[in-house]
C-alpha cells in the first residue's frame, strides 16, 4: 500500500500554482541512487511514474524522449506508454519501461468522434493500464510529445511526486485569440462552479496521484452511461476534494483543425460541461467560489503570445449573431428570460463598431442554457445548436474590445470574466433550485 | 281536396312522431351510457394519475431526451389517453345501445369498422406533428449555423411540408377525399420535381452549373471563419 493510501492527503481549499518554466521543480520524494551500468541488480526506485501518450506518436521520437527522460527522472521508475499495435512491455533500463498499447477509437466506446472524445478514450485506456501497473503517479501527455521534454515533465509531475497535489493541470502559452471557447465558457464556468482556478480544464497534459487516477478511471468507465464523452479531471478532483495545482508550461500544442464544425464542437464540449453540472449539482451548489479561487496575479506572470497589431474582421461573426437573433427568437425564447431577450435585441441594433456583449449578460445566457439543458426545455441538440450564434457574438465583442484597447491584457480580461461568472452564480443556484419561479 | 291534404299532413306528422318515439329509447340509452362511461373515464384517469405520481413516472421520463418536445407532463398525457379511450368506448357502446333501441340496423357495424382507421389516423397525426416540429427546428438551427439568410424560411418550409404530408396521410387513412388527395399530392410533388428539372435543364442551367462547380470545388463552411488568427479550440 502506498503512503498516499495509508495516509490520506490533507486537502487544502486553495489551489497551488507552480511558477514559470524557468526553474523546473525537481521531485523531492525519497530518491534511490541511480544504478550504474554493469553494477549488478539495481536498487528498486522509490517512486513509480506512469507516463501515457494519448494518441499516435512517432516511435523513434518516443524512444529519443524516453532516453533523456530516464536520465532526468533518476530515482523514479518510469513506464512510458505509447500507442502501438498491441500491449507489449519492453524494459529499456532498470528504471525505464516502454509499454505499447492499442489505441481505442472513440467510436468503439460508443461516443461521437472528435479529437476530445478520441483523447478521452485514450486517457481511459491509459488509466486502466496505470492501474494495472500500480503506479504511484500518472501523467498523461499530448501526442505531439512537447510536454515529454524533461523540464516540462518534471514541472508537471513534481507536485504529484512530492505529494503536494493530487492533480496537476498544465497551462499553456496562448495568444489572446486562441482557445476562445475555453476562455469564454469552459474555464470560467469550471472555476465558478467548483472553485478550482484552472485555466485549461481540458488540458491534454496533466499529472495525477494514484488515488486521483483511480477516481478518474472510474469516472471514465461510467462516462458513457452518463452521456459524457470527455474527461474533466478538475471536476473529478473537486468531487473528491483533492488538491489541484497548475503549472505553466512554456509550450503550445497544435490547434485542432480540419473538418471540425464549430456548432458540433460547442455541442460536444459545452454539452459535456452541462452534463457534469447536472451530475455534480449538490457539490457545486455548496461551493463558494470566493473561498477557493486564488487569483493568478500573485504568481508568475502568464506566458501569452502578444496581441497582433492587425485588426481582425468581426463582421461575419456579428452577422451570424444578428441572423441568429432574427431567426431563433422562438428557440431562444424557450430558454432565455424576457429581459435577456430584450438585451440581445438591443445589442443587434448597435452599429458594428460599438457591438459589445456585456459579461453579465453572457454569464446569464450560459447559466440559462445550462438550466435549459437540465430541464430539457427543448431537445438538447437543438439547445446547444442555438448557442452557437450567441457564442460568435461574444467572440466578436471580445475581439472588438481587444482591438480597441492598445493596453489590452488577455489575462486580466479572462479574470474579469471569471469574476462575472462567480458573481452570477447565485442567479444560477436560484434558478436551478426553483426553475418555476417567476423570472422576468 | 282539403280533407286529403289534411289527412296527408296528419299521416306525415304521425309518422315523424312515431319515428321519434321509436328513436327516443335509443337516444336515452345513448346518453345514459355516455354519462356512465364519462364518469368511469374520469375515475380511471384520476386513478392513473395518482398511481403514476406515486411511481414518480414524470421524473423517470424526464431522463429521456426524445420527449423534450412535450409541453405536458407524461403522466397527464397518459391520463388523458385513458380518459378519451374509455370515453370513446362509451360512444361505441352508446351507438350499439342506440341501435338496439331503434329499428335502424347496420349503424354500429359501420362505426365499429371505422374505429381502427381513426386510431391509426390519430397515431399518424401525433407522430407527424412531432416529426414536423423536430425537423423544422433542426433545419432552422442548422441553417442559422451555416449562415443561411433564408434559414427561417427553410425551417418553416420543412415543417409545413411534413405537416401537409401528414394531413394527406391522415385523410387517406380515414378514406376522406378519395382520389382527390392522391391527385393533389401527385400534382404538387410532380410540379416541384418538374420545376426543378426545368430549372436545371433550361432557365438556371448556368447558375446551377456554377453552384455545382462551387460545391465540388469547396466544402461548405458551416460557420463563418472570420480570420485565421482566431482559434475557437
Amino acid at each position: 500500500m502506498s503512503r498516499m493510501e495509508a495516509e490520506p492527503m490533507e486537502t487544502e481549499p486553495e489551489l497551488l500554482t507552480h511558477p514559470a518554466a524557468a526553474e523546473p521543480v525537481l521531485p523531492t520524494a525519497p530518491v534511490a541512487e541511480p544504478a550504474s551500468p554493469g553494477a549488478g541488480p539495481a536498487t528498486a526506485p522509490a517512486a513509480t511514474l506512469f507516463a501515457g501518450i494519448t494518441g499516435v506518436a512517432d516511435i523513434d521520437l518516443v524512444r529519443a524522449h524516453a532516453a533523456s527522460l530516464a536520465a532526468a527522472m533518476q530515482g523514479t521508475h518510469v513506464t512510458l506508454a505509447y500507442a502501438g499495435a498491441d500491449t507489449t512491455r519492453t524494459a529499456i533500463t532498470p528504471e525505464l519501461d516502454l509499454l505499447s498499447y492499442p489505441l481505442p477509437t472513440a467510436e468503439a466506446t460508443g461516443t461521437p468522434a472528435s479529437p476530445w472524445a478520441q483523447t478521452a478514450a485514450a486517457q481511459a485506456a491509459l488509466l486502466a493500464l496505470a492501474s494495472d501497473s500500480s503506479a504511484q503517479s500518472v501523467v498523461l501527455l499530448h501526442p505531439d510529445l512537447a510536454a515529454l521534454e524533461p523540464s516540462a515533465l518534471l514541472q508537471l509531475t513534481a507536485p504529484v511526486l512530492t505529494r503536494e497535489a493530487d492533480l496537476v493541470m498544465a497551462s499553456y502559452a496562448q495568444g489572446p485569440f486562441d482557445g476562445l471557447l475555453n476562455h469564454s465558457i469552459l474555464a470560467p464556468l469550471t472555476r465558478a462552479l467548483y472553485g478550482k482556478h484552472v485555466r485549461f480544464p481540458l488540458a491534454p497534459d496533466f499529472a495525477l496521484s494514484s488515488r486521483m487516477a483511480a477516481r478518474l478511471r472510474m469516472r471514465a468507465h461510467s462516462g458513457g452511461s452518463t452521456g459524457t464523452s470527455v474527461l474533466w479531471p478538475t471536476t473529478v478532483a473537486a468531487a473528491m476534494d483533492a488538491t489541484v495545482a497548475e503549472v505553466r508550461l512554456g509550450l503550445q500544442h497544435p490547434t485542432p483543425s480540419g473538418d471540425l464544425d464549430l456548432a458540433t464542437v460547442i455541442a460536444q464540449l459545452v454539452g459535456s460541461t452541462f452534463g457534469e453540472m447536472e451530475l455534480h449539482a449538490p457539490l457545486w451548489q455548496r461551493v463558494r467560489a470566493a473561498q477557493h479561487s486564488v487569483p493568478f496575479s500573485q504568481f508568475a506572470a502568464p506566458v501569452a503570445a502578444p496581441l497582433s497589431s492587425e485588426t481582425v474582421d468581426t463582421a461575419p461573426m456579428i452577422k451570424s449573431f444578428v441572423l441568429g437573433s432574427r431567426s431563433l427568437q422562438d428557440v431562444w425564447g424557450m430558454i432565455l428570460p424576457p429581459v435577456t431577450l430584450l438585451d440581445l435585441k438591443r445589442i443587434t441594433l448597435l452599429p458594428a463598431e460599438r457591438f459589445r456583449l456585456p459579461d453579465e449578460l453572457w454569464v446569464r445566457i450560459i447559466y440559462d442554457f445550462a438550466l435549459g439543458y437540465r430541464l430539457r426545455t427543448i431537445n438538447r441538440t437543438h439547445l446547444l445548436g442555438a448557442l452557437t450564434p450567441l457564442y460568435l457574438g461574444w467572440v466578436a465583442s471580445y475581439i472588438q474590445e481587444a482591438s480597441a484597447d492598445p493596453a489590452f491584457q488577455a489575462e486580466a480580461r479572462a479574470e474579469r470574466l471569471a469574476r462575472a461568472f462567480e458573481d452570477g452564480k447565485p442567479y444560477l443556484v436560484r434558478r436551478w433550485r426553483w426553475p418555476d419561479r417567476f423570472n422576468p | 281536396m282539403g280533407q286529403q291534404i289534411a289527412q296527408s299532413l296528419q299521416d306525415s306528422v304521425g309518422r315523424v312522431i312515431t319515428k321519434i318515439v321509436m328513436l327516443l329509447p335509443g337516444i336515452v340509452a345513448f346518453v345514459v351510457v355516455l354519462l356512465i362511461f364519462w364518469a368511469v373515464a374520469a375515475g380511471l384517469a384520476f386513478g392513473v394519475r395518482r398511481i403514476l405520481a406515486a411511481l414518480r413516472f414524470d421524473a423517470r421520463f424526464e431522463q429521456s431526451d426524445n420527449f423534450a418536445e412535450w409541453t405536458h407532463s407524461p403522466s397527464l398525457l397518459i391520463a388523458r389517453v385513458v380518459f378519451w379511450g374509455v370515453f370513446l368506448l362509451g360512444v361505441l357502446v352508446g351507438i350499439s345501445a342506440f341501435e338496439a333501441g331503434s329499428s335502424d340496423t347496420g349503424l354500429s357495424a359501420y362505426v365499429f369498422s371505422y374505429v381502427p382507421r381513426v386510431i391509426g389516423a390519430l397515431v399518424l397525426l401525433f407522430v407527424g406533428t412531432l416529426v414536423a416540429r423536430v425537423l423544422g427546428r433542426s433545419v432552422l438551427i442548422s441553417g442559422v449555423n451555416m449562415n443561411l439568410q433564408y434559414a427561417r424560411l427553410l425551417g418553416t418550409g420543412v415543417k409545413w411540408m411534413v405537416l401537409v404530408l401528414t394531413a394527406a396521410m391522415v385523410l387517406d387513412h380515414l378514406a376522406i377525399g378519395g382520389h382527390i388527395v392522391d391527385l393533389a399530392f401527385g400534382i404538387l410533388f410532380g410540379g416541384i420535381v418538374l420545376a426543378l428539372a426545368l430549372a436545371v435543364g433550361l432557365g438556371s442551367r448556368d447558375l446551377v452549373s456554377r453552384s455545382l462547380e462551387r460545391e465540388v470545388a469547396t466544402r461548405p463552411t458551416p460557420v463563418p471563419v472570420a480570420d485565421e488568427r482566431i482559434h475557437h479550440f
Side-chain angles (χ1 to χ4, degrees):
Chain A
M1 184 184 287
S2 68
R3 199 186 104 185
M4 190 77 73
E5 287 164 334
E7 298 170 15
M9 183 182 291
E10 190 181 337
T11 53
E12 294 292 329
E14 75 276 8
L15 178 141
L16 306 170
T17 304
H18 276 258
E23 294 176 43
V25 183
L26 288 167
T28 53
V31 177
E33 287 296 318
S36 56
T43 314
T48 53
L49 174 70
F50 181 94
I53 299 161
T54 55
V56 180
D58 182 2
I59 182 62
D60 294 330
L61 213 58
V62 172
R63 285 180 185 278
H65 275 91
S68 54
L69 192 65
M73 302 283 288
Q74 287 186 355
T76 304
H77 183 273
V78 180
T79 302
L80 181 59
Y82 63 96
D86 53 4
T87 309
T88 315
R89 185 181 283 271
T90 314
I92 305 296
T93 68
E95 291 186 338
L96 176 68
D97 285 355
L98 276 183
L99 175 66
S100 76
Y101 74 100
L103 188 68
T105 57
E107 290 87 347
T109 57
T111 53
S114 78
W116 294 273
Q118 187 62 54
T119 303
Q123 285 169 346
L126 285 166
L127 287 170
L129 284 172
S131 171
D132 296 341
S133 303
S134 305
Q136 290 167 350
S137 312
V138 179
V139 60
L140 301 181
L141 305 164
H142 191 280
D144 71 356
L145 306 182
L148 198 56
E149 292 289 342
S151 62
L153 195 73
L154 283 171
Q155 279 191 84
L156 203 57
T157 53
V160 170
L161 289 169
T162 55
R163 296 181 172 87
E164 285 179 78
D166 279 321
L167 171 68
V168 186
M169 298 296 289
S171 172
Y172 306 100
Q174 280 199 328
F177 300 154
D178 291 337
L180 291 175
L181 184 61
N182 177 55
H183 298 321
S184 62
I185 304 175
L186 307 181
L189 184 61
T190 305
R191 171 176 158 176
L193 290 176
Y194 307 106
K196 301 292 182 191
H197 189 154
V198 173
R199 293 195 305 163
F200 293 86
L202 269 185
D205 308 302
F206 55 92
L208 312 148
S209 67
S210 58
R211 72 167 187 141
M212 176 74 205
R215 281 292 288 268
L216 195 61
R217 186 194 172 198
M218 278 169 56
R219 184 73 192 93
H221 188 66
S222 62
S225 60
T226 54
T228 303
S229 57
V230 181
L231 272 183
W232 298 90
T234 316
T235 311
V236 175
M240 61 186 284
D241 200 17
T243 314
V244 180
E246 185 174 57
V247 291
R248 295 196 178 99
L249 304 179
L251 56 92
Q252 197 169 9
H253 293 301
T255 309
S257 56
D259 294 336
L260 288 177
D261 169 23
L262 176 62
T264 311
V265 176
I266 287 179
Q268 192 166 35
L269 296 186
V270 180
S272 176
T273 317
F274 289 167
E276 292 286 309
M277 273 178 82
E278 206 176 6
L279 196 69
H280 298 293
L283 166 74
W284 60 256
Q285 288 183 56
R286 286 198 305 271
V287 173
R288 287 172 185 251
Q291 290 179 355
H292 287 251
S293 296
V294 177
F296 266 84
S297 51
Q298 63 181 266
F299 299 100
V303 187
L307 188 65
S308 168
S309 57
E310 295 172 45
T311 51
V312 177
D313 182 20
T314 54
M317 287 177 275
I318 295 175
K319 206 172 125 189
S320 184
F321 173 80
V322 173
L323 175 66
S325 175
R326 214 174 51 225
S327 309
L328 297 176
Q329 276 297 317
D330 296 343
V331 180
W332 287 356
M334 286 189 274
I335 306 159
L336 303 172
V339 68
T340 307
L341 290 173
L342 198 66
D343 288 344
L344 288 172
K345 201 86 183 162
R346 277 201 202 107
I347 291 170
T348 57
L349 299 175
L350 291 173
E353 64 277 6
R354 283 176 50 211
F355 183 87
R356 293 287 188 281
L357 191 66
D359 283 352
E360 294 71 27
L361 178 60
W362 175 242
V363 168
R364 277 209 316 271
I365 288 169
I366 295 300
Y367 285 160
D368 282 321
F369 267 77
L371 187 74
Y373 185 91
R374 179 217 166 187
L375 297 175
R376 294 174 193 269
T377 315
I378 58 168
N379 182 292
R380 284 179 168 178
T381 313
H382 292 167
L383 179 130
L384 294 165
L387 183 61
T388 308
L390 290 165
Y391 165 75
L392 287 172
W394 181 87
V395 173
S397 166
Y398 172 81
I399 291 170
Q400 294 210 149
E401 194 183 328
S403 304
D405 182 6
F408 181 79
Q409 292 289 325
E411 183 73 14
R413 183 67 188 82
E415 177 64 25
R416 214 163 66 233
L417 181 62
R419 292 274 179 208
F421 266 87
E422 287 176 348
D423 293 343
K425 193 174 170 183
Y427 171 79
L428 171 68
V429 173
R430 196 171 60 245
R431 291 219 63 203
W432 194 276
R433 289 182 182 167
W434 302 287
D436 295 329
R437 207 176 256 189
F438 177 65
N439 187 42
Chain B
M1 178 73 175
Q3 279 182 349
Q4 283 174 336
I5 291 170
Q7 184 61 42
S8 157
L9 277 172
Q10 274 179 3
D11 286 351
S12 60
V13 169
R15 274 201 300 275
V16 168
I17 289 170
T18 309
K19 194 85 173 171
I20 289 171
V21 168
M22 283 175 71
L23 279 176
L24 207 58
I27 291 169
V28 171
F30 179 78
V31 170
V32 168
V33 167
L34 223 55
L35 283 173
I36 290 169
F37 271 84
W38 177 82
V40 171
L44 272 177
F46 179 74
V48 165
R49 281 204 74 178
R50 293 294 294 267
I51 291 167
L52 292 178
L55 293 172
R56 295 172 53 79
F57 185 75
D58 285 352
R60 286 164 203 259
F61 222 74
E62 277 172 10
Q63 302 298 319
S64 168
D65 199 28
N66 297 326
F67 299 93
E69 299 295 319
W70 289 18
T71 48
H72 298 292
S73 74
S75 61
L76 179 69
L77 215 63
I78 290 174
R80 282 189 180 171
V81 167
V82 168
F83 175 84
W84 285 107
V86 175
F87 189 76
L88 280 175
L89 193 70
V91 171
L92 294 177
V93 174
I95 288 169
S96 189
F98 173 79
E99 193 184 32
S102 66
S103 58
D104 281 344
T105 55
L107 182 65
S108 62
Y110 176 74
V111 171
F112 273 95
S113 68
Y114 205 66
V115 166
R117 285 171 179 268
V118 173
I119 292 170
L122 283 174
V123 171
L124 272 176
L125 192 65
F126 175 75
V127 173
T129 311
L130 204 66
V131 168
R133 283 174 66 176
V134 171
L135 218 58
R137 199 174 289 157
S138 292
V139 170
L140 170 67
I141 291 170
S142 302
V144 168
N145 287 338
M146 290 177 82
N147 228 15
L148 301 177
Q149 294 298 317
Y150 47 88
R152 196 175 173 80
L153 187 73
L154 213 61
T156 312
V158 167
K159 182 181 166 183
W160 280 101
M161 280 277 279
V162 177
L163 282 177
V164 169
L165 189 70
T166 304
M169 284 166 73
V170 167
L171 287 175
D172 188 55
H173 201 77
L174 290 172
I176 295 172
H179 293 296
I180 293 173
V181 175
D182 296 345
L183 206 63
F185 253 83
I187 290 168
L188 186 68
F189 279 97
I192 291 169
V193 171
L194 186 65
L196 285 173
L198 286 173
V200 174
L202 299 170
S204 312
R205 63 183 175 190
D206 293 338
L207 179 74
V208 171
S209 66
R210 276 200 303 274
S211 169
L212 287 174
E213 279 167 11
R214 272 203 307 275
E215 284 292 315
V216 172
T218 56
R219 287 177 64 87
T221 307
V223 288
V225 178
D227 201 291
E228 287 291 317
R229 287 163 295 173
I230 298 171
H231 297 116
H232 296 290
F233 322 122

